[in-house]
Amino acid sequence: MPFPAPLRGVVPPLVTPLTPAGEVDTASVRRLTEHLISAGVHGLFLLGSSGEAAYLTDAQRLTALEAAVDTAAGRVPVLAGIIDTTTARVLDRAADAVRAGADALVATAPFYTRTHPVEIADHFRRIRAGADLPLFAYDIPVAVHTKLPRDMVLGLAGDGTLAGLKDSSGDEGSLRRILVELRRRAPHFSVLTGSELTVDCALLAGADGVVPGLGNVDAHGYVRLYEAARAGDWAAARAEQDRLAILFGLTEAGDPALMGPSSAALGAFKAAAHLLGHIDCAATAAPQVPLDESALARIRGRLAEAGLL
Amino acid sequence: MPFPAPLRGVVPPLVTPLTPAGEVDTASVRRLTEHLISAGVHGLFLLGSSGEAAYLTDAQRLTALEAAVDTAAGRVPVLAGIIDTTTARVLDRAADAVRAGADALVATAPFYTRTHPVEIADHFRRIRAGADLPLFAYDIPVAVHTKLPRDMVLGLAGDGTLAGLKDSSGDEGSLRRILVELRRRAPHFSVLTGSELTVDCALLAGADGVVPGLGNVDAHGYVRLYEAARAGDWAAARAEQDRLAILFGLTEAGDPALMGPSSAALGAFKAAAHLLGHIDCAATAAPQVPLDESALARIRGRLAEAGLL
Amino acid sequence: MPFPAPLRGVVPPLVTPLTPAGEVDTASVRRLTEHLISAGVHGLFLLGSSGEAAYLTDAQRLTALEAAVDTAAGRVPVLAGIIDTTTARVLDRAADAVRAGADALVATAPFYTRTHPVEIADHFRRIRAGADLPLFAYDIPVAVHTKLPRDMVLGLAGDGTLAGLKDSSGDEGSLRRILVELRRRAPHFSVLTGSELTVDCALLAGADGVVPGLGNVDAHGYVRLYEAARAGDWAAARAEQDRLAILFGLTEAGDPALMGPSSAALGAFKAAAHLLGHIDCAATAAPQVPLDESALARIRGRLAEAGLL
Amino acid sequence: MPFPAPLRGVVPPLVTPLTPAGEVDTASVRRLTEHLISAGVHGLFLLGSSGEAAYLTDAQRLTALEAAVDTAAGRVPVLAGIIDTTTARVLDRAADAVRAGADALVATAPFYTRTHPVEIADHFRRIRAGADLPLFAYDIPVAVHTKLPRDMVLGLAGDGTLAGLKDSSGDEGSLRRILVELRRRAPHFSVLTGSELTVDCALLAGADGVVPGLGNVDAHGYVRLYEAARAGDWAAARAEQDRLAILFGLTEAGDPALMGPSSAALGAFKAAAHLLGHIDCAATAAPQVPLDESALARIRGRLAEAGLL
């Protein structure tokens, strides 16, 4: 399919369902993909942070991506994370994603190494030149420990290097200034927020859509929120976002003394998707700490409270 | 005046005008105060970060606060920053603020020292017990290097220790979760955002008001934005915010190779207020680097572009 | 007394003993001062981080400093911390210290505010110009969140603005490069390390002395360590440092789930000094969490193990 | 060869020489390896941060490692970095390293993802279980943004999971406490410092050796430093370290306005190795900014000043 410019709407970052033995469960990838499409999402993002890309081998990444692409079958675009430390390695991941049939690529700034704005811009230009698919920049300082500078994003949007931005920086002030500029300079550029707790705000501010991890749990909610905002019904959008903000509490079901916030959140998305029947097994990849029974009970309670279970 | 609960609306954090010799220019404090009240603001915040509190001696702080309180004369409430490292020192600042006639106090978490959530909560409880005025927590991790935990804010709101929160954390997701909870638990608690680039969003999310540094430059704009949001006219609120986001570019007029972002922003607010006739002199306190002529020209240009000059 | 150039040796940062009611216990200040001098230390540092300067009011700081200066009576130089956010406030603290009879001043980079190297250098120059005492720069990024740049320290050493550096940055690589340069450029400049676990190393590298918080507990140990190093007996210096590194474990006696590392360390120094009879009461200033009985028992055990009790 | 326990001495982290086209230059890998062995180093570390591991594809890593292993031919042990985000991916890298004939593996904590001490310990245990070679932990917070907790290192040393630690944390105080404990608990455990500016200090403190990036430039110097320390001639060790600290200034030859500190340092090591004839081409991997002519001139000057050229 021709890739939409700009890409708009709800683009959930799929969790990557695993078997109890830790292999990619392609049947569950397919079932989750089908569920999300039927819920009305506008695209799928595979192999992002919510997809545990950092925990999957190259072979596992390819397996998950192929299953999703095959299931989507062109009904919605599939974006593929090509997460690796620097350019040459990212290009290897990009070649895999192209081979698997992805519709667009999503790359972060270099990480592990200390870098510089000139290098980051060059990194994105080399990826775009080396892989013939639309490229999104993934601004996620909590993972890569660099924030994409505003001027760089605007420059790479303006010269066509980037087709869009997935903004998980949490810096809504900087995002606002980008959005105001982009409307003048690059109207086909797509801005998707990864901040799932403030989607009504991001849409009010002019963002094109959202990549909500919690969309693995309540895709219908995010689709309703998006449609309300599109219709200018900001009271309805706000009410939906408030409901989802409460549901988001499930990411804190894990005991912070026993596990990190990342394991707790990814585990909760998977546990909820499992309880709702979208995937067969809630296991997260090693060495993440699994949620215990009391955490699972809290998640079940949240889902019931939200009327999802 | 009885302090409003919750405090709502536009509460600019006044810059502290100085003479060329570096003393507090009380005539300019009075003129700026009068200007802001006539622009329709709903409160005044003295001795915050925008007020260069960290750069003023105790005597200078007192002088500035007294001039503002006297000029306000009960027309709008005056909040006073009582910024110091830990409890005993903050209580000394609080005593000064009470003496000067402030209507409410605004305190940060402890800084310089490494602290702990239990200590921060105790810090606010001791301040509240030691100073008989409504107390706002000032969440400003960029200055104090600690983020106020969500549960602490909710607890101190619920038990009456805090009358409100000035949120300059930039963490809009956490703020949303606080707002959703507060509506149930502490409806008289006031949440003011310090993020002047996303005020429409914060108001949509349920915040009560805003403390915009840029309000020293365009108070009318923030009042219009607030009134549009109150009226549910989100398109108008968004347009006003977009306009202010462009104007905010004046904070980057200084050369980043020659000065820090804080000097540049504070200098720009003062330079603009001076160009607009609200204060007599644009000097910032030592050892901040002053803006040079080319920066001032850029600021003048921004003001003209915005129709303010 | 003429201030030594360079200042050399063991210069403990005195804890500030408090009464149970939280006031400065001047009798204990005097007893601790006397104890340290009799142990052979080469200077005293009042109102540093170990002295809880961030927790003391201006009046309390003055009281503690006066008691120490009076007790020292010129036998060793007294350095006074003048810790505050920026220049004008620091100069107020400097005036107090001069009045109290301090022999030298110790100032950090600006904090709370975001700053810039040009501003930090100007800050030190203004302090030096405004207070007629030798000035030490206190490099403590954990507190002020800025590291003093190497070139700035060398510049301010070379032009006479600074008489010395108290390095608590923990960046031993940068310190080594400073030491190598200083020997050529400013031989009278004094470098004191605040890293009490690597004093043998710092002295081997050319540092002039140490400001050890643990010196409140085992001043004799640090004096022996310094003398061994001075004599070139590195095996003895190393053995002494190893012993002190084990004793340092008392700073972790507090339960990290209940209190921060700073409260735990300051509480431990005071608890140990109290158990050893140097001060009357182990209380730390509010809002720090006090050590509980089990923590005190662990501290007692460490002191016994070290043969101090 | 049986892997030495503990591994002791100078173990340079080899730069990975590239051709102008960006491919691994195996002839230069061999020449550099031969040079280092003839200079008397005690081991070789391939594919570390200095080896630009984060910039090399899996195939390139394998190529470089095979060339070094083949050249070393058992004369000194070859340690291989297996740097990747989390366990499963690291195990793929470990399989490659085993295949290439490495003698030991060097792994970091998980990165990109936010993690937890329990997960980090499990990570190292799974790597050790999944790859039959001695395992070193690589503590490098500047890259992975987590510091290995002291108790974890001691636990994994004590139970045999880890054979050693490469400490590039820069936290010499924590390292000292580890060293003191290890002598009692795990005498065969090897501690190598990655802090090339304080090697005399680390050896005095009881470290077993050093992994100096600057060893690509002056291996003889580090061997002399190590031998002096072993002989207890601390004055000679200190003088050698001082000389190397001055030489280290070449890492700052690049203009900080044009490139990051990492590109500047890696570029300088390669440029110097090229000028000294150890490798054919000084190119660093994309997207790193290359050093310009004036930087190269400064490096040449440093080498001449040090008598190396």
Side-chain angles (χ1 to χ4, degrees):
Chain A
M1 62 182 300
F3 194 79
L7 175 63
R8 288 208 172 107
V10 179
V11 184
L14 277 76
V15 298
T16 305
L18 301 177
T19 65
E23 288 310 310
V24 174
D25 172 2
T26 54
S28 288
V29 173
R30 291 172 180 276
R31 196 155 87 241
L32 177 61
T33 300
E34 197 61 50
H35 161 70
L36 293 172
I37 293 175
S38 75
V41 305
H42 308 82
L44 301 169
F45 175 37
L46 270 286
L47 305 179
S49 305
S50 296
E52 294 177 89
Y55 294 92
L56 303 178
T57 64
D58 294 340
Q60 290 173 322
R61 292 187 188 188
L62 190 59
T63 299
L65 180 57
E66 285 173 340
V69 167
D70 187 61
T71 306
R75 290 176 288 173
V76 296
V78 176
L79 290 74
I82 49 173
I83 293 175
D84 217 320
T85 48
T86 69
T87 316
R89 297 183 66 81
V90 171
L91 281 170
D92 277 0
R93 300 296 83 72
D96 285 350
V98 168
R99 184 147 56 97
D103 298 297
L105 305 173
V106 185
T108 70
F111 55 93
Y112 184 87
T113 185
R114 285 176 294 165
T115 187
H116 184 274
V118 169
E119 295 175 352
I120 301 175
D122 189 36
H123 173 72
F124 285 117
R125 285 203 191 89
R126 286 171 182 267
I127 297 169
R128 184 65 191 88
D132 193 23
L133 282 178
L135 178 63
F136 280 64
Y138 190 173
D139 193 12
I140 184 163
V142 72
V144 305
H145 302 277
T146 309
K147 168 93 183 79
L148 298 182
R150 203 174 70 243
D151 285 348
M152 177 197 302
V153 171
L154 291 171
L156 296 173
D159 70 14
T161 300
L162 295 177
L165 171 71
K166 178 191 183 290
D167 181 67
S168 295
S169 73
D171 186 341
E172 308 299 329
S174 173
L175 181 61
R176 183 59 167 263
R177 297 182 70 189
I178 287 176
L179 287 166
V180 169
E181 280 296 317
L182 280 170
R183 253 169 259 148
R184 303 195 251 195
R185 291 210 223 171
H188 299 298
F189 188 83
S190 171
V191 174
L192 307 177
T193 179
S195 299
E196 62 222 299
L197 294 166
T198 53
V199 182
D200 52 348
C201 295
L203 295 171
L204 176 62
D208 298 290
V210 59
V211 184
L214 190 61
N216 286 283
V217 182
D218 193 357
H220 286 100
Y222 280 100
V223 171
R224 280 194 301 270
L225 165 47
Y226 176 71
E227 296 301 343
R230 252 174 85 88
D233 185 351
W234 295 106
R238 171 188 168 168
E240 192 67 45
Q241 179 64 84
D242 281 352
R243 197 186 59 77
L244 289 162
I246 293 168
L247 179 60
F248 189 78
L250 56 77
T251 60
E252 292 170 349
D255 183 341
L258 303 180
M259 63 197 306
S262 176
S263 296
L266 294 180
F269 291 156
K270 285 189 142 179
H274 173 59
L275 288 166
L276 295 170
H278 305 321
I279 65 175
D280 277 351
C281 166
T284 51
Q288 292 173 92
V289 176
L291 294 166
D292 60 19
E293 280 307 316
S294 67
L296 294 174
R298 278 191 288 275
I299 290 169
R300 202 177 286 113
R302 286 275 181 184
L303 294 174
E305 185 187 281
L308 294 174
L309 203 72
Chain B
M1 65 182 299
F3 194 80
L7 175 63
R8 288 207 172 105
V10 178
V11 184
L14 278 75
V15 297
T16 303
L18 301 176
T19 66
E23 288 310 311
V24 175
D25 171 3
T26 53
S28 288
V29 173
R30 290 172 179 278
R31 195 155 89 242
L32 177 62
T33 300
E34 197 61 48
H35 161 70
L36 293 172
I37 292 176
S38 74
V41 304
H42 307 83
L44 301 169
F45 175 36
L46 270 287
L47 307 179
S49 306
S50 295
E52 293 177 270
Y55 294 92
L56 303 178
T57 65
D58 295 339
Q60 290 173 322
R61 291 187 188 187
L62 191 58
T63 299
L65 181 57
E66 284 173 341
V69 167
D70 188 61
T71 307
R75 289 176 290 173
V76 296
V78 176
L79 289 74
I82 49 174
I83 292 175
D84 216 317
T85 48
T86 69
T87 316
R89 296 182 67 81
V90 171
L91 281 169
D92 277 1
R93 302 294 84 71
D96 284 351
V98 168
R99 185 147 55 96
D103 297 298
L105 305 173
V106 185
T108 70
F111 56 93
Y112 183 87
T113 185
R114 286 176 295 166
T115 187
H116 185 274
V118 169
E119 294 174 353
I120 301 174
D122 190 36
H123 174 71
F124 285 118
R125 285 204 191 90
R126 286 172 183 266
I127 297 169
R128 183 65 190 87
D132 194 24
L133 281 179
L135 178 63
F136 280 64
Y138 190 173
D139 194 13
I140 184 162
V142 73
V144 304
H145 301 277
T146 309
K147 167 94 182 79
L148 297 182
R150 202 173 73 244
D151 284 349
M152 176 196 302
V153 172
L154 291 171
L156 296 173
D159 70 14
T161 300
L162 295 178
L165 171 71
K166 178 190 184 289
D167 182 66
S168 296
S169 73
D171 186 342
E172 308 299 327
S174 174
L175 182 61
R176 183 58 164 265
R177 296 182 72 189
I178 286 176
L179 288 166
V180 169
E181 280 296 317
L182 280 171
R183 253 170 257 147
R184 300 195 254 195
R185 292 209 224 170
H188 298 299
F189 187 84
S190 171
V191 175
L192 307 177
T193 179
S195 299
E196 61 223 300
L197 292 167
T198 54
V199 182
D200 52 349
C201 294
L203 296 172
L204 177 63
D208 298 290
V210 59
V211 184
L214 190 62
N216 287 283
V217 181
D218 193 357
H220 286 99
Y222 279 101
V223 170
R224 281 194 301 271
L225 165 47
Y226 177 71
E227 296 300 344
R230 251 175 84 88
D233 186 350
W234 296 105
R238 172 188 166 168
E240 191 67 45
Q241 178 66 81
D242 280 353
R243 197 185 59 77
L244 290 162
I246 294 168
L247 179 60
F248 190 77
L250 57 79
T251 60
E252 292 169 349
D255 182 341
L258 302 181
M259 63 197 306
S262 174
S263 296
L266 294 180
F269 290 155
K270 285 188 143 180
H274 172 60
L275 288 166
L276 295 170
H278 306 320
I279 64 176
D280 278 351
C281 165
T284 51
Q288 292 173 92
V289 176
L291 294 165
D292 60 19
E293 279 309 315
S294 68
L296 293 174
R298 279 191 288 275
I299 290 168
R300 202 176 285 111
R302 286 276 182 183
L303 294 174
E305 183 189 281
L308 294 173
L309 204 69
Chain C
M1 62 184 300
F3 194 79
L7 174 63
R8 288 208 172 106
V10 179
V11 184
L14 277 76
V15 298
T16 305
L18 301 177
T19 66
E23 288 310 312
V24 174
D25 172 2
T26 53
S28 288
V29 173
R30 290 172 179 277
R31 197 157 85 242
L32 178 61
T33 300
E34 197 61 49
H35 161 70
L36 294 171
I37 293 174
S38 74
V41 304
H42 308 83
L44 301 168
F45 175 36
L46 270 287
L47 307 179
S49 304
S50 295
E52 295 177 89
Y55 294 93
L56 304 178
T57 65
D58 295 339
Q60 289 173 323
R61 291 186 188 188
L62 190 58
T63 299
L65 181 57
E66 285 173 341
V69 168
D70 188 60
T71 306
R75 289 176 289 173
V76 294
V78 176
L79 290 75
I82 49 174
I83 294 175
D84 216 320
T85 49
T86 69
T87 316
R89 297 183 66 80
V90 171
L91 282 169
D92 277 1
R93 300 296 83 73
D96 285 351
V98 169
R99 184 148 54 98
D103 297 297
L105 305 174
V106 185
T108 70
F111 55 92
Y112 184 88
T113 186
R114 285 177 293 166
T115 187
H116 185 273
V118 169
E119 294 173 354
I120 301 175
D122 190 36
H123 173 72
F124 285 117
R125 285 203 192 89
R126 286 171 183 266
I127 297 169
R128 184 65 190 88
D132 193 24
L133 282 179
L135 178 63
F136 280 63
Y138 191 174
D139 193 12
I140 184 163
V142 73
V144 306
H145 302 277
T146 309
K147 169 91 182 82
L148 298 182
R150 203 174 70 243
D151 284 348
M152 176 196 303
V153 171
L154 291 172
L156 296 173
D159 70 14
T161 301
L162 295 177
L165 170 71
K166 178 192 183 286
D167 182 66
S168 295
S169 73
D171 186 341
E172 308 299 327
S174 174
L175 181 61
R176 183 59 165 263
R177 297 181 71 189
I178 286 175
L179 288 167
V180 170
E181 280 295 319
L182 280 171
R183 254 169 259 149
R184 300 195 254 196
R185 290 209 226 171
H188 298 299
F189 188 82
S190 171
V191 175
L192 307 177
T193 179
S195 298
E196 61 222 299
L197 294 167
T198 54
V199 181
D200 52 349
C201 295
L203 295 171
L204 176 63
D208 299 289
V210 58
V211 184
L214 190 62
N216 287 282
V217 181
D218 193 358
H220 287 99
Y222 280 101
V223 171
R224 280 193 301 270
L225 166 47
Y226 175 71
E227 297 300 344
R230 252 174 85 88
D233 185 351
W234 296 106
R238 172 190 168 167
E240 191 66 46
Q241 178 66 82
D242 280 353
R243 198 185 60 77
L244 289 163
I246 294 168
L247 178 61
F248 190 76
L250 57 79
T251 60
E252 292 170 348
D255 182 342
L258 302 181
M259 62 197 306
S262 175
S263 296
L266 294 180
F269 290 155
K270 285 188 142 180
H274 172 59
L275 288 166
L276 295 171
H278 306 319
I279 64 176
D280 278 350
C281 166
T284 51
Q288 291 173 93
V289 176
L291 294 166
D292 60 19
E293 279 306 316
S294 67
L296 294 175
R298 278 191 289 275
I299 290 168
R300 201 176 287 113
R302 287 276 182 184
L303 294 175
E305 186 187 281
L308 294 173
L309 204 71
Chain D
M1 65 183 297
F3 194 80
L7 175 62
R8 289 210 171 104
V10 178
V11 184
L14 277 77
V15 298
T16 304
L18 302 177
T19 66
E23 288 310 311
V24 174
D25 171 1
T26 54
S28 288
V29 173
R30 289 173 180 278
R31 195 156 87 241
L32 177 61
T33 299
E34 197 61 48
H35 161 71
L36 294 171
I37 292 175
S38 74
V41 305
H42 308 82
L44 301 168
F45 175 37
L46 271 286
L47 307 179
S49 305
S50 296
E52 294 177 89
Y55 295 91
L56 304 177
T57 65
D58 295 338
Q60 289 173 322
R61 292 187 189 187
L62 191 58
T63 299
L65 180 57
E66 284 173 341
V69 168
D70 188 60
T71 305
R75 290 177 289 173
V76 295
V78 176
L79 290 74
I82 49 173
I83 293 176
D84 215 320
T85 49
T86 69
T87 316
R89 296 182 67 80
V90 171
L91 281 170
D92 277 2
R93 300 296 82 72
D96 285 352
V98 169
R99 186 146 54 96
D103 297 299
L105 305 173
V106 185
T108 70
F111 55 93
Y112 183 87
T113 186
R114 286 175 294 166
T115 187
H116 185 273
V118 169
E119 294 174 353
I120 301 174
D122 191 35
H123 174 71
F124 285 117
R125 285 204 191 88
R126 286 171 183 266
I127 296 168
R128 184 64 191 86
D132 194 24
L133 281 179
L135 178 63
F136 280 63
Y138 190 174
D139 194 13
I140 184 162
V142 73
V144 305
H145 302 277
T146 309
K147 167 94 183 78
L148 297 183
R150 201 174 72 244
D151 285 348
M152 177 197 302
V153 171
L154 291 171
L156 296 173
D159 70 13
T161 301
L162 295 177
L165 171 71
K166 178 191 183 288
D167 182 67
S168 296
S169 72
D171 186 341
E172 308 299 329
S174 174
L175 181 61
R176 183 57 166 264
R177 296 182 70 189
I178 286 176
L179 287 166
V180 170
E181 279 296 318
L182 281 171
R183 254 170 258 149
R184 301 196 253 194
R185 291 208 225 172
H188 298 298
F189 188 83
S190 171
V191 175
L192 307 177
T193 180
S195 299
E196 62 224 297
L197 293 167
T198 54
V199 181
D200 52 349
C201 295
L203 295 171
L204 175 63
D208 299 289
V210 59
V211 183
L214 190 62
N216 286 282
V217 182
D218 192 357
H220 287 99
Y222 280 101
V223 170
R224 281 194 300 269
L225 164 48
Y226 176 73
E227 296 301 344
R230 251 175 84 88
D233 185 351
W234 296 106
R238 172 188 167 169
E240 191 66 47
Q241 178 66 80
D242 281 353
R243 197 186 59 79
L244 290 163
I246 293 167
L247 179 60
F248 190 78
L250 58 79
T251 61
E252 292 170 348
D255 182 340
L258 302 180
M259 62 197 307
S262 175
S263 296
L266 294 179
F269 290 155
K270 286 188 142 180
H274 172 58
L275 288 166
L276 295 171
H278 307 319
I279 65 177
D280 278 351
C281 164
T284 51
Q288 291 172 91
V289 176
L291 294 165
D292 58 20
E293 279 308 317
S294 68
L296 293 175
R298 278 190 288 276
I299 290 168
R300 200 176 288 111
R302 286 275 182 184
L303 293 175
E305 183 188 281
L308 294 174
L309 203 68

